Amino acid sequence: MEAAVAKDKNNNLTLKIFEEYLHKDIDKPTVNFRMRTVGPSRQGPIRKIKVHNGAHGATWAKSIINSSLRTISINVFLNFKKNNLRDGDYKKLKGLAVDGIKKYWSNSITVAGVRFNVIVNPLHKNSADAIPVDLEIEETPDYGRSSNPSILGIDASFKYQKGSRKAGIPEEMINEEFKLVSAHEFGHSILMYVGGISLSWGHKGSSNTLLQSVKSSTPGYPKKGKIDLMRYYNETKNNADMKQRITNSIAFEIDIKRLIWSSEIVWKK
């Protein structure tokens, strides 16, 4: 079935067709599958849809797909922990992290030949079924590494490089860098859910899994065009300054589809 004619007999894009193409696009064939019950609702009677056993099980994401308006609204839930931060710092860092995830993960995608506008809405949720995130401030000029191993019992760590101001870096640039880093670290939860350690810690094949070092075979940063938010690049081959990374980075379409595949789905006609 070609994408251009991926419609039912009434010329409608259905959830079944959407699922078929979504699975195909991220290379998750429904060989190992379960039957998902949908309905009854105003959209139709009870029906069964085949999905991969791992699909739509992430507790921290919910996608609302409007097939008529061609929009996908994805709520992602993160438990931003205050720890020892002052109230003002906590509010600032939480706001920057939310802005960054929304900025870098909202894009447009094509499924079954239909173009959808995707908006990602990060929401704070103080719950065990949200992604746990420690918001931290690095006070020294030394760069503090953020991380998200996406392993049960270990929180993600989003570090704000406040100490970089001592090296002459403007606060606005530090804020924007924190947004970028927050979006990247959030993405590890998606890659881990879909492809495990090799996809997540290996940064989609661009780094060594355990040491996180860039592979010698990994290309340098693209000289023009978009930068893959979730890949590492070999800086010795071609580097990009922080302004370029902030401006050109984006979650690629396949990773947004991986997010939808991970999430609970609500289908609206």
Side-chain angles (χ1 to χ4, degrees), residues 23 29-35 51-57 193 261:
H23 280 67
T30 52
V31 176
N32 299 315
F33 67 90
R34 71 181 190 276
M35 298 305 294
V51 298
H52 188 282
N53 277 330
H56 311 312
Y193 184 88
W261 184 89

